Amino acid sequence: MADLGITTPLLSSQPSDQVIVTVHDYAESASEPVPQPGHEQLSPSQSHNQNETQNHNHGHNNRNSYLSSGNPFRFIGCEELNVPPPSTVDPFRNSTPTIDGVYEWLKIVICIPIALVRLVLFGLFLLVGYIATKLALAGWKDKQNPMPRWRCRLMWVTRICARCILFSFGYHWIKRKGKPAPREVAPIVVSNHISYIEPIFYFYELFPTIVAAESHDSIPFVGTIIRAMQVIYVNRFVPSSRKQAVKEIKRRASCDRFPRVLLFPEGTTTNGRNLISFQLGAFIPGYPIQPIIVRYPHVHFDNSWGHISLAMLMFRMFTQFHNFFEVEYLPVISPFDDKKETALHFSQRTSHAIATALNTVQTGHSYGDIMLHMQAHQAKQAKPSIYMIEMAKVESLFRISSAEAVEFLDKFLSMNPDPSGRVQYHDFLRVLGLKACPLSEEIFAFIDVEKSGTITFRQFLYGSAYVMKLPSFRQACELAFSKCGAAVKDYIVEQELRDSIQLAIPFLKEDEVHDLFVLFDNDNDGRVSKDDFLACLKRNPLLIALFTPQLQHQDLLANDQAVEEIV
């Protein structure tokens, strides 16, 4: 039986590589070469660019005032970047993604005839439940009020079919510990989420109202049954949809005629060996909550739906003699009586109770990490899991959405990372449209916190998000646009962008300037509007360093402090 405790070390025991980089002062003789970050990994093209930089060192003297710190973003209040080490825990990884061992293969061969019978029973019970649900929903149009009792009684046919479906999947008996609290005591229940089995079980056991994505409504057969549960639909990427869902949860929880509300606060399935960050929808209404935990004890087959296809998961379930499933109802957790407890603290108390009962820890991962993993997998990366960054922590630090993180991942993947997920200096410059020069070195070195000559996606995202979310970033972008020549008109042309950027990167070639201009010209109309300019810097916040010479004397930080004092 698999250990349900902490099975993965939280800290890596492998020492990181150390790289010593010699740093020269920019005021030194032009005869001395300017070192690249990770000098030992220079490509031939970098060597050529380095020689070109040496020939232009006479422009360094007028740049010393803002390059002496080595931080090209200090003028907007950016301090040294701190990137926490990556987590060694993958809470989504299925421990048996492939069929291994003679015993498992032999068992599958023996169970194939049984699996065919189970498949037929599954289809039969699903059809009967679907018909019963259609009859229960026939002519019912008042979906805002609780389902009438006679319709609920008819839904018992579907609930019995749900238990038979579990039986066909090999869950012949289910071990229970504790009991569900009365609906009037705990109108909201929350559970950890490991597989598609829990919703089927809770449908049979509790017949609750659930919160689900709008896409579930279009699933054949299942969508109809979900509608009979008076589902609360939500689009997790639309703030207004999330707010409306919270209001509806509160309305349903306050009325005893509605079923209790069931939520999976993790927002996605995990492998059950860890608990990921909780969304707050279940805790904002402020009603007592009963936590429920589920376990799938196993030896040869992990029942979790993580990094494994639905078809393979169903096939493996059908070809097991028996699948183990345990449910434990925990004591009800109520918000504090003083009404001063925040939803975040309420969720933390609940997650702590669940993690303690599971004998596990809670990580900073969220559904956003699944999005990043899927994006890396579609890009055919060798190890998609290394691009998961504990998105809940990143959102808390920088107020950056999962969709924005995916956009930054697309940018990073275009830099051609190696199998270990690291990007070289010259690829970083290529994608951002930069040339090898002291300023480019400083931008790269700002992200390369390990001083290894390469950067990871975690470092790239943390650096980009840190710069973009600084209070003075927006003001700096608007001022840079104005300084480029847009003070008297609402756009800039290529020559104006060149004149501005050459203060930071002297001796730019025409094709290099054009590449940067194309990057800023979002609509390809030959001019860069303010919207184009701001959108480009939002996608590539590190490029704000190109306008350092123009902005270094502007009192951006003082303005920010004044605004903060007023607020």
Side-chain angles (χ1 to χ4, degrees):
M1 185 176 296
D3 183 10
L4 295 176
I6 302 173
T7 59
T8 308
L10 298 179
L11 297 176
S12 175
S13 60
Q14 297 179 353
S16 59
D17 296 333
Q18 300 293 324
V19 179
I20 299 176
V21 180
T22 303
V23 180
H24 296 266
D25 187 84
Y26 287 113
E28 290 181 357
S29 171
S31 61
E32 294 185 18
V34 179
Q36 306 269 5
H39 185 268
E40 72 286 354
Q41 301 180 21
L42 286 179
S43 65
S45 61
Q46 285 178 278
S47 298
H48 172 75
N49 290 332
Q50 186 183 36
N51 292 333
E52 183 181 6
T53 303
Q54 294 176 26
N55 295 331
H56 298 154
N57 271 350
H58 60 272
H60 289 168
N61 291 334
N62 61 1
R63 302 174 67 247
N64 283 342
S65 61
Y66 62 89
L67 289 179
S68 58
S69 67
N71 181 353
F73 307 104
R74 188 176 296 277
F75 75 103
I76 55 174
C78 188
E79 301 298 332
E80 183 179 356
L81 180 64
N82 180 26
V83 181
S87 172
T88 60
V89 175
D90 182 355
F92 309 107
R93 182 176 60 86
N94 184 293
S95 61
T96 59
T98 58
I99 305 172
D100 296 321
V102 176
Y103 170 77
E104 191 65 15
W105 277 107
L106 182 61
K107 180 172 59 177
I108 289 175
V109 171
I110 294 174
C111 286
I112 284 179
I114 301 175
L116 295 176
V117 175
R118 287 175 170 176
L119 182 60
V120 172
L121 292 175
F122 165 73
L124 177 62
F125 293 130
L126 182 61
L127 179 61
V128 172
Y130 172 76
I131 295 173
T133 303
K134 291 290 286 186
L135 291 175
L137 294 177
W140 184 45
K141 297 181 180 180
D142 186 14
K143 305 297 177 65
Q144 295 301 313
N145 290 313
M147 179 180 284
R149 288 186 178 276
W150 72 267
R151 295 181 184 273
C152 291
R153 293 191 184 99
L154 190 54
M155 285 301 298
W156 261 107
V157 176
T158 308
R159 295 173 67 178
I160 296 301
C161 288
R163 181 62 186 93
C164 294
I165 287 174
L166 292 178
F167 188 89
S168 69
F169 276 116
Y171 299 95
H172 306 127
W173 62 84
I174 297 173
K175 182 179 179 181
R176 294 174 175 83
K177 182 178 180 180
K179 294 182 179 180
R183 194 256 181 239
E184 58 271 17
V185 174
I188 299 176
V189 294
V190 298
S191 171
N192 61 322
H193 198 8
I194 299 176
S195 185
Y196 62 86
I197 295 299
E198 302 101 61
I200 301 175
F201 169 78
Y202 289 131
F203 174 76
Y204 161 71
E205 181 94 339
L206 303 175
F207 190 51
T209 291
I210 63 172
V211 180
E214 296 175 349
S215 58
H216 290 170
D217 186 71
S218 60
I219 302 176
F221 296 100
V222 177
T224 301
I225 298 175
I226 287 178
R227 286 194 293 275
M229 300 172 70
Q230 295 187 268
V231 62
I232 300 173
Y233 290 115
V234 61
N235 186 334
R236 72 177 82 210
F237 303 112
V238 179
S240 60
S241 177
R242 296 198 302 268
K243 290 181 180 179
Q244 182 59 36
V246 170
K247 291 181 180 179
E248 191 62 18
I249 292 171
K250 187 173 183 178
R251 186 179 78 89
R252 304 276 183 96
S254 64
C255 178
D256 289 339
R257 294 188 299 120
F258 275 107
R260 70 192 80 209
V261 182
L262 166 68
L263 296 101
F264 298 103
E266 293 173 290
T268 187
T269 55
T270 69
N271 56 22
R273 292 185 292 277
N274 293 101
L275 203 66
I276 65 174
S277 63
F278 276 15
Q279 300 175 21
L280 301 181
F283 309 96
I284 294 175
Y287 286 93
I289 288 176
Q290 181 174 33
I292 311 173
I293 60 174
V294 295
R295 303 182 184 92
Y296 294 84
H298 65 276
V299 175
H300 301 284
F301 166 55
D302 183 355
N303 292 235
S304 66
W305 192 1
H307 304 339
I308 183 173
S309 68
L310 177 60
M312 175 58 72
L313 190 61
M314 293 179 65
F315 173 76
R316 296 293 300 279
M317 285 183 180
F318 280 137
T319 53
Q320 301 295 312
F321 294 126
H322 173 75
N323 290 305
F324 292 89
F325 183 39
E326 298 178 356
V327 180
E328 181 177 355
Y329 295 92
L330 301 180
V332 174
I333 300 177
S334 300
F336 292 144
D337 294 335
D338 58 8
K339 304 294 183 180
K340 295 182 179 180
E341 184 180 37
T342 64
L344 178 60
H345 186 257
F346 191 14
S347 72
Q348 289 173 344
R349 288 199 294 125
T350 306
S351 63
H352 178 72
I354 294 177
T356 301
L358 289 172
N359 190 26
T360 187
V361 295
Q362 187 173 30
T363 71
H365 295 86
S366 71
Y367 182 76
D369 291 284
I370 294 289
M371 296 173 60
L372 294 171
H373 184 280
M374 292 173 59
Q375 192 73 6
H377 178 73
Q378 292 175 1
K380 303 186 184 306
Q381 292 299 301
K383 299 177 180 178
S385 60
I386 65 178
Y387 295 97
M388 296 191 300
I389 54 171
E390 294 187 277
M391 194 63 215
K393 291 183 178 180
V394 176
E395 289 177 351
S396 176
L397 282 172
F398 304 116
R399 302 287 186 248
I400 182 174
S401 68
S402 298
E404 289 176 308
V406 171
E407 292 179 1
F408 280 114
L409 178 58
D410 285 337
K411 178 75 66 176
F412 185 82
L413 294 177
S414 67
M415 298 178 187
N416 192 30
D418 62 24
S420 66
R422 291 185 170 271
V423 161
Q424 302 287 334
Y425 176 62
H426 63 278
D427 287 318
F428 173 81
L429 298 186
R430 172 180 55 81
V431 172
L432 291 186
L434 300 173
K435 64 176 290 185
C437 67
L439 178 60
S440 298
E441 294 169 14
E442 290 185 347
I443 296 173
F444 189 83
F446 172 77
I447 303 175
D448 181 18
V449 294
E450 297 175 353
K451 308 308 176 190
S452 64
T454 59
I455 59 173
T456 64
F457 171 64
R458 174 182 289 266
Q459 294 166 355
F460 177 69
L461 178 64
Y462 266 73
S464 300
Y466 181 23
V467 172
M468 182 174 65
K469 296 304 179 179
L470 284 171
S472 57
F473 176 75
R474 171 86 182 189
Q475 181 188 359
C477 293
E478 293 180 350
L479 191 58
F481 179 72
S482 176
K483 292 287 186 179
C484 283
V488 295
K489 60 184 188 302
D490 58 356
Y491 65 89
I492 60 176
V493 296
E494 185 169 334
Q495 184 60 44
E496 291 172 326
L497 183 66
R498 173 176 186 158
D499 293 343
S500 178
I501 292 177
Q502 278 192 331
L503 295 175
I505 306 180
F507 307 103
L508 280 171
K509 298 178 181 178
E510 290 186 7
D511 59 332
E512 294 169 339
V513 175
H514 182 71
D515 289 343
L516 273 172
F517 185 80
V518 169
L519 191 65
F520 277 89
D521 187 11
N522 194 43
D523 52 9
N524 299 317
D525 62 351
R527 58 176 64 179
V528 176
S529 66
K530 184 176 182 178
D531 289 340
D532 290 340
F533 193 84
L534 297 180
C536 177
L537 289 178
K538 184 178 180 181
R539 295 191 306 270
N540 308 277
L542 300 177
L543 293 183
I544 190 63
L546 295 175
F547 307 96
T548 303
Q550 295 176 306
L551 304 178
Q552 59 173 323
H553 299 302
Q554 300 294 325
D555 203 0
L556 298 174
L557 301 182
N559 292 338
D560 289 333
Q561 293 173 357
V563 171
E564 291 176 358
E565 291 176 358
I566 293 175
V567 174

